[in-house]
Amino acid sequence: VHHAVLLGPDGAVRASARADAADGTWLGTLRGKCAVGGALFCATDAGLTRVEARQGRLEAVREFPDAEPFVDAGCQLLLSREGLMVVGAQVLTVLRMT
């Protein structure tokens, strides 16, 4: 079982989510997450997913299926000056949101 918790500056829990391992959701894997501003971007086999805190829960609020050729659930995501860097087993790719 995977858990994600958003803590506030005072250490209080602001939002959380729970998922079974390998269930196909953004939290089904532990790798491939990158916090950007108030959002968490998650690499999935279906592309990128944007997760935000909503009423005490961490929820997928937007899907980016066009990113699917460049990401999968095994990728690592890093923030760079050029955009979101996808680190795969053999390839580095930079994704820019426009």
Side-chain angles (χ1 to χ4, degrees):
V1 176
H2 297 169
H3 295 270
V5 178
L6 174 64
L7 299 175
D10 59 355
V13 174
R14 302 280 189 229
S16 64
R18 176 189 178 282
D20 291 325
D23 69 354
T25 67
W26 67 269
L27 192 51
T29 61
L30 297 178
R31 294 192 61 164
K33 314 287 187 271
C34 183
V36 179
L40 181 69
F41 285 91
C42 307
T44 70
D45 290 336
L48 283 177
T49 299
R50 180 183 172 121
V51 174
E52 294 179 1
R54 298 234 169 130
Q55 298 179 349
R57 296 195 35 82
L58 292 171
E59 297 180 356
V61 296
R62 185 158 181 210
E63 307 275 331
F64 298 92
D66 292 346
E68 184 271 330
F70 310 105
V71 301
D72 60 56
C75 291
Q76 183 65 32
L77 298 179
L78 303 170
L79 186 60
S80 73
R81 289 182 185 181
E82 291 78 29
L84 200 58
M85 180 163 304
V86 181
V87 181
Q90 301 282 328
V91 177
L92 295 176
T93 305
V94 176
L95 300 177
R96 293 187 185 106
M97 303 283 182
T98 58

